[in-house]
Amino acid sequence: MSRGLATGTRCAALVGPYLSGKTTLLEALLFATGAIKRKGTVKDGNSIGDSAPEARARQMSTEPTFAQTEFLGDEWTLIDCPGSIELFQDTVNTMAVADVAIVVCEPDPQKAIAMRPIIQYLQKERIPHMIFINKMDQATEPVQTILEAIQQNSEWPLVLRELPIVAGEKITGYVDLVSERAFQYRAGQASMMISIPGQIEDEKALARQEMLEALADCDDSLLEQLLEDVVPPTEEIYAQVTRDMQNGLIVPVFLGVADQDHGVRRLLKALRHEVPGPGVTAERFGIKDQKPPKALVFKTLHAAQLGKLSIARIFSGEIDEGIELQGKRVGAMLKLMGNQQVKVTRANLGEVVAFGRLSDISTGYWLGPENEAEDLILGLPEALSSVFGLALETNDRSDEVKLTSALQRLCDEDPSLTWRQDSDVNQLVLEGQGDIHLQLAIDRLENRYKISVRTSSIQVPYKETIKKQISQHARYKRQTGGHGMFGDVHVDIKPLERGKGFEFHETIVGGAVPKQYIPAVEAGVRDYLQKGALGFPVVDISVTLTDGQYHAVDSNEMSFKLAAREAMKEGLPKCSPILLEPICRVEIDVPADFSANVHGLVSTRRGHIMGFEARAGQKGWETVSGFIPQSEIKDLIVELRSLSHGLGTFRSKFDHFQECTGSLADRVIGTSGQNVVE
């Protein structure tokens, strides 16, 4: 990655595990730069990041929060991302367009593993990032111990930039290891420069030497100076840190306490001097020509008063209100500050703006001149695969039409959320990344669209088949005052190979059943097969019409349809019907340390492991593949995350049906009325 000049508005994504303090850090950064006059808190629900009612109710970020600020003449967009692993789609989409990610974490070595998905994504995509160890006032372990725990999740070397100054059991300031200056924290103010305490001189010298050695691994000139005991000039070290961070060779680490404003201004200075400009990020997407306007939509919102907003970052050119992009006339352009919007008439390089009235534009679309070749430009990462689902029903039947429209909007906002009408079980299904993810969507249905729903488990689409062949005769006869009804059929019923579905044949000779009535016989058979002897749709079966009788006056299509249905009703129970359950092929991704846990998990869910291999592009991860019954997958993600510190995920796809017998089959058949489409 080339270094590039920091021209244009830069963008920093605040990312990190749940409860690391990202929203508090955003508030502190905005306060320190004068963007807000008073800090809010997550607890009080009055911070910039608490604009959504779902966020305030849970005291957690539930969607990206956008904020604009300025620091020493440089313009910035800061984006606070959700910390829950279930809301990771918004986080990766935001990291993809940012110039830098600030990875916020707690000073607890046991929690460092929760940073792994974030750090691995950043390093896979070679996105510059720095780490801010927050809540240092709560640290119970030395900084070096914390650093070692974080390093286990990073392929790039971590470089500690600050050494804490401890008085008693309280951290009162820090030493900048590059400038060798010491500072004392002051709540709500810039830190005050002080002399380096004598008792930490040796510790400072050792920490600085370790920092220089880490930098020397990336630069031969610096290595030669260290070998010759030459102390590099401070400005040269700063320049080296900047180059190495921008080129993905190191990860700088800073310390602080965001809710007391400690370390916040030092972080701002590092951002100002060391983060590349939007031109460098544009190169990451393959954009080299800075003249034609190009903007990437990385988030979609449906606002109550403003309608659909396409939030995009501009990577080249300028965009004026009213310009045509992708053949669409751009409506209002807005800058976002929490839940506030400010209308602008022009957006420049690097800015994050919301475009109105782009109804056909979805998250991941590039906006630019219509004749530009979109396929030459990289885009956002693929949407995450669904791992958890619920069936929805409206509490008010009059809301059913509104529900599908509202769900479409929610899925437009979040590509990792999907919905479908499952015809096999006659349920409307909402799927996503976990229970929290889906409950947020359900809350939004009620808060935004005034649609109240109730949820239930997704029913398993069991089927049934037969194991025995028989011949069956049935007659339907009814006499009324006028024309009667008469249909008589002989059918052969036999099983087919698994996966063959349904076949219908006829071997009628001599007009025993007139040709015009044969389709009605097939219709009657199909009608019965929707719910067989065990109460489930019947598959892998062949039915052949071999003989029959008709009456010249009383026979009609309905008579033969009902006769065929009666033949199936009487015959199928004699064919040794058996229950079939759907089996899914599953691929489970976990850090290699947890592979043994996954083997046990699959076994306890009646699954079979087919193999495992290293996961491409993710060092230290493995993919375990196997087969698991669909009925055992519905809450698989809950246990998988529990066994893997929240890191595991999986993909599943229907593969085949398998015979189900014994007590499980008895239990399923006993509740078949809840599983069948009537």
Side-chain angles (χ1 to χ4, degrees):
M1 181 187 294
S2 61
R3 183 177 178 187
L5 295 175
T7 56
T9 300
R10 285 180 283 180
C11 176
L14 278 64
V15 299
Y18 172 57
L19 293 179
S20 58
K22 301 178 302 302
T23 301
T24 303
L25 178 59
L26 173 66
E27 205 77 4
L29 290 168
L30 295 175
F31 179 71
T33 55
I36 57 175
K37 301 302 181 185
R38 180 181 178 184
K39 292 196 303 178
T41 67
V42 173
K43 181 179 179 181
D44 293 336
N46 59 356
S47 69
I48 292 293
D50 294 318
S51 57
E54 301 83 27
R56 291 194 297 270
R58 291 170 172 79
Q59 295 193 350
M60 61 178 279
S61 297
T62 56
E63 59 190 353
T65 297
F66 303 88
Q68 317 293 329
T69 192
E70 183 179 307
F71 181 62
L72 298 179
D74 294 334
E75 293 185 350
W76 286 88
T77 297
L78 305 177
I79 308 176
D80 175 24
C81 299
S84 170
I85 192 67
E86 297 186 21
L87 307 177
F88 197 50
Q89 186 73 59
D90 276 336
T91 299
V92 295
N93 287 356
T94 302
M95 290 190 293
V97 303
D99 300 314
V100 68
I102 305 169
V103 185
V104 187
C105 67
E106 296 180 80
D108 184 348
Q110 299 299 318
K111 296 182 178 181
I113 195 170
M115 304 166 64
R116 187 174 295 185
I118 295 171
I119 292 176
Q120 289 198 330
Y121 173 79
L122 291 167
Q123 294 179 356
K124 176 186 175 185
E125 300 300 325
R126 303 200 66 78
I127 299 171
H129 52 287
M130 47 183 68
I131 290 175
F132 183 79
I133 305 178
N134 193 20
K135 305 181 183 180
M136 284 299 294
D137 57 331
Q138 301 175 21
T140 58
E141 299 285 349
V143 170
Q144 196 58 40
T145 301
I146 301 168
L147 207 64
E148 289 171 359
I150 300 173
Q151 183 67 73
Q152 294 178 18
N153 303 288
S154 173
E155 294 184 42
W156 299 356
L158 306 184
V159 176
L160 186 64
R161 295 285 300 277
E162 301 171 353
L163 184 69
I165 298 173
V166 181
E169 295 184 356
K170 184 179 179 182
I171 295 177
T172 60
Y174 67 94
V175 177
D176 186 306
L177 294 176
V178 178
S179 67
E180 297 186 277
R181 294 175 179 174
F183 297 86
Q184 181 176 306
Y185 290 138
R186 296 189 296 176
Q189 304 179 58
S191 299
M192 179 177 64
M193 189 162 62
I194 60 174
S195 299
I196 298 177
Q199 68 269 22
I200 66 168
E201 275 287 359
D202 291 343
E203 187 179 358
K204 184 270 296 182
L206 178 60
R208 190 170 196 269
Q209 183 65 24
E210 290 176 349
M211 178 193 70
L212 293 175
E213 288 175 356
L215 296 175
D217 288 339
C218 308
D219 185 81
D220 292 340
S221 175
L222 181 57
L223 178 60
E224 290 178 8
Q225 293 182 63
L226 294 182
L227 292 174
E228 295 172 3
D229 291 329
V230 175
V231 179
T234 298
E235 288 306 314
E236 183 178 325
I237 298 174
Y238 275 127
Q240 183 67 42
V241 166
T242 300
R243 285 194 299 271
D244 291 348
M245 194 274 288
Q246 292 188 7
N247 289 314
L249 300 176
I250 64 167
V251 182
V253 179
F254 297 90
L255 314 172
V257 184
D259 66 357
Q260 299 177 35
D261 302 303
H262 296 166
V264 172
R265 289 167 177 79
R266 178 67 192 91
L267 178 63
L268 281 167
K269 291 178 181 178
L271 291 171
R272 180 174 188 261
H273 291 291
E274 299 170 21
V275 172
V280 175
T281 307
E283 290 180 20
R284 194 167 72 229
F285 285 105
I287 300 174
K288 297 180 180 178
D289 186 352
Q290 289 294 311
K291 292 183 180 179
K294 291 188 185 72
L296 177 58
V297 177
F298 67 97
K299 178 65 180 176
T300 301
L301 289 175
H302 290 270
Q305 304 299 326
L306 300 171
K308 181 176 180 178
L309 297 178
S310 301
I311 302 174
R313 188 165 189 224
I314 299 170
F315 286 111
S316 67
E318 299 173 341
I319 296 179
D320 293 315
E321 185 179 20
I323 193 175
E324 283 199 0
L325 299 175
Q326 303 305 128
K328 307 290 182 182
R329 184 178 176 84
V330 173
M333 291 195 302
L334 307 168
K335 280 193 174 183
L336 305 178
M337 185 72 173
N339 62 350
Q340 303 297 315
Q341 306 91 28
V342 178
K343 188 174 181 180
V344 295
T345 57
R346 168 173 290 187
N348 300 308
L349 176 65
E351 290 192 75
V352 172
V353 291
F355 296 104
R357 297 207 302 265
L358 296 179
S359 57
D360 298 331
I361 299 300
S362 300
T363 298
Y365 274 50
W366 279 98
L367 301 176
E370 194 170 9
N371 60 352
E372 289 290 316
E374 288 184 52
D375 57 349
L376 298 180
I377 305 175
L378 300 176
L380 296 178
E382 292 184 3
L384 301 174
S385 300
S386 299
V387 295
F388 186 80
L390 290 172
L392 305 185
E393 287 184 87
T394 58
N395 289 318
D396 185 341
R397 293 184 65 87
S398 65
D399 287 336
E400 289 180 356
V401 175
K402 289 169 51 181
L403 176 60
T404 56
S405 175
L407 286 175
Q408 189 59 51
R409 292 186 177 190
L410 292 181
C411 295
D412 193 26
E413 292 184 349
D414 183 353
S416 68
L417 193 68
T418 60
W419 73 276
R420 58 187 169 84
Q421 187 70 49
D422 192 328
S423 58
D424 283 338
V425 293
N426 197 27
Q427 288 181 308
L428 189 151
V429 173
L430 181 65
E431 295 177 310
Q433 303 306 303
D435 188 57
I436 293 175
H437 191 205
L438 299 193
Q439 292 303 326
L440 280 171
I442 291 167
D443 285 353
R444 287 170 181 150
L445 285 174
E446 186 154 7
N447 294 335
R448 297 185 191 177
Y449 304 106
K450 311 306 177 187
I451 300 173
S452 175
V453 299
R454 58 184 181 272
T455 65
S456 59
S457 297
I458 302 173
Q459 294 171 8
V460 179
Y462 291 101
K463 309 289 186 186
E464 63 179 89
T465 190
I466 59 173
K467 302 186 74 175
K468 182 180 176 182
Q469 176 178 345
I470 70 156
S471 296
Q472 182 66 42
H473 168 244
R475 173 176 292 179
Y476 184 83
K477 183 177 180 180
R478 177 177 294 180
Q479 192 64 45
T480 60
H483 288 300
M485 297 183 72
F486 180 87
D488 186 284
V489 296
H490 293 259
V491 294
D492 287 345
I493 307 171
K494 66 178 182 179
L496 293 176
E497 292 180 13
R498 192 76 65 244
K500 290 292 186 179
F502 168 68
E503 294 179 2
F504 179 81
H505 306 281
E506 56 90 8
T507 59
I508 296 297
V509 294
V513 177
K515 289 187 179 296
Q516 67 266 31
Y517 298 147
I518 293 176
V521 174
E522 180 179 355
V525 171
R526 288 183 179 274
D527 185 50
Y528 178 80
L529 294 182
Q530 293 181 36
K531 182 177 179 181
L534 303 182
F536 298 92
V538 185
V539 296
D540 304 335
I541 185 172
S542 170
V543 177
T544 303
L545 175 64
T546 61
D547 199 0
Q549 296 182 53
Y550 76 100
H551 189 277
V553 176
D554 292 342
S555 290
N556 53 37
E557 291 182 352
M558 182 57 69
S559 299
F560 277 96
K561 180 178 180 179
L562 294 174
R565 181 178 174 85
E566 188 65 23
M568 298 303 297
K569 181 179 179 181
E570 295 177 8
L572 218 62
K574 306 172 187 176
C575 296
S576 299
I578 189 169
L579 185 69
L580 297 176
E581 71 172 329
I583 306 297
C584 294
R585 183 175 183 86
V586 178
E587 294 179 335
I588 302 175
D589 300 327
V590 288
D593 297 346
F594 303 113
S595 288
N597 294 348
V598 170
H599 292 187
L601 174 62
V602 172
S603 297
T604 59
R605 290 177 178 261
R606 301 189 292 121
H608 301 282
I609 292 176
M610 303 302 293
F612 61 94
E613 59 184 5
R615 179 158 171 73
Q618 283 188 281
K619 185 178 180 181
W621 284 64
E622 288 185 348
T623 298
V624 180
S625 59
F627 294 104
I628 301 179
Q630 186 174 330
S631 61
E632 301 284 351
I633 290 178
K634 59 183 178 180
D635 61 348
L636 176 65
I637 190 62
V638 177
E639 190 173 357
L640 176 59
R641 284 178 176 151
S642 176
L643 294 174
S644 62
H645 290 254
L647 302 179
T649 188
F650 72 91
R651 297 168 298 284
S652 66
K653 184 179 181 181
F654 169 76
D655 190 82
H656 64 278
F657 280 101
Q658 178 176 289
E659 292 184 10
C660 180
T661 59
S663 59
L664 175 60
D666 293 340
R667 188 164 62 251
V668 172
I669 294 168
T671 58
S672 62
Q674 302 172 26
N675 291 276
V676 184
V677 180
E678 295 292 348

